[in-house]
Each structure stands twice: as C-alpha cells, then as structure tokens.
Amino acid sequence: MNRWLLIFCVPLIAISFPEQAAAFQSHPAPEGLYVHQLAHVLLVVALTSMAYWLQKNRLVEETGWRLIQISCLIFSLWSLLTMFGHWVEENIPAAALVGEPDWTQRISMSVSVWTTYFYVLKLDHLISVPAAICLFLGARSLFLEAKVEARSD
C-alpha cells in the first residue's frame, strides 16, 4: 500500500507547488502547427493500421477486440476532424475571437462563415468521448475474459 501512496502522492505534491514550467515548450507559428498536424496524420495511420490488423487477424470476432477496433476508427475520424479544425482556426479572422485565449474567450459568429465551422469543430469531444468509452469497454472485456481464463487454469 505504501508503494501506491508514493506513486500517487509524490507527483501530486510535485505539481502542486511549481516554481517554473520548464517542461512547457511553445513553438511559434507555423512550425508548431506543422508538427501538430503531422502528429494527427501519424495517429490516423497508426489507428487505421491497427483496425485493419485486428480485422485481418480475425481478432474482432471477440467483443473486446471489436470494441477496440471501433475505438480506433472513431479516434481516426476525430483526428481527421481535429486536423481540419486546426486549419479552420488558422483561417478565421482575428476579429472573430473576442477576449483573451482562456476560458472567457468568445467567438463572434457574424464575422465569417469560418467561425461557424470553427465552433462546430470545437465540439470534437462528441466524437472523442464515445471513442474513449469503446476503448475502455474493449479493454475491460479483454481483462474480464483473461480473468475467467486464469481461474479455469
């Protein structure tokens, strides 16, 4: 029990009293966006490859793997939409964003048609949360199956 207490408490204490955010690295435009968009492309390639591999090896016949495959496909869709959202964000007029870039910032919808796309694409959690739920349910299903197999041995 003490080991788990250390694993969770030490990092919690360490992040509670920061003096510097030395790990934070901001990339100026456009390099940061290019790297971020490339990461989305690589994520889509990895997730669709895994979904294909699961299908090819017939692992999707098990419920757990099928749910994981579904989560891969939904996360791929999410990543593609997020890529498009980043591109749209670069194309909206500066006048469309009102306030500081924090929780109080607002979008003026009347400035451009791009602001409507930007707003809709910012609702990406409507896609990523179901994908995360499928991933969780798939992993839980595989865990429960392994647990049953371990008992029968």
Side-chain angles (χ1 to χ4, degrees):
M1 181 64 179
N2 291 335
R3 177 180 55 190
W4 293 109
L5 186 65
L6 282 173
I7 289 172
F8 289 111
C9 288
V10 170
L12 184 63
I13 291 169
I15 65 171
S16 297
F17 304 102
E19 290 183 27
Q20 291 184 351
F24 179 76
Q25 182 179 4
S26 176
H27 296 286
E31 295 86 9
L33 181 61
Y34 295 160
V35 171
H36 190 86
Q37 294 288 65
L38 181 60
H40 278 294
V41 169
L42 294 175
L43 180 63
V44 169
V45 169
L47 290 171
T48 54
S49 296
M50 182 170 175
Y52 172 76
W53 183 84
L54 290 170
Q55 186 72 38
K56 183 179 178 206
N57 290 296
R58 303 178 70 155
L59 291 172
V60 293
E61 293 172 3
E62 296 179 44
T63 303
W65 288 115
R66 186 171 42 254
L67 286 167
I68 290 173
Q69 181 190 43
I70 291 168
S71 78
C72 287
L73 296 173
I74 297 172
F75 272 129
S76 293
L77 174 65
W78 166 82
S79 191
L80 290 170
L81 289 175
T82 304
M83 284 175 57
F84 184 62
H86 294 320
W87 180 78
V88 168
E89 185 174 8
E90 291 297 311
N91 288 298
I92 60 174
L97 299 176
V98 180
E100 295 299 316
D102 59 12
W103 291 100
T104 62
Q105 190 173 47
R106 300 289 179 254
I107 303 169
S108 177
M109 301 299 276
S110 61
V111 174
S112 168
V113 69
W114 291 108
T115 57
T116 304
Y117 296 142
F118 178 67
Y119 175 76
V120 170
L121 291 167
K122 280 295 183 183
L123 300 174
D124 63 330
H125 60 280
L126 296 175
I127 297 173
S128 63
V129 170
I133 290 170
C134 284
L135 180 61
F136 169 76
L137 293 175
R140 184 181 71 168
S141 176
L142 292 174
F143 170 74
L144 294 174
E145 287 176 19
K147 203 171 171 181
V148 168
E149 283 181 23
R151 283 188 192 149
S152 66
D153 288 341

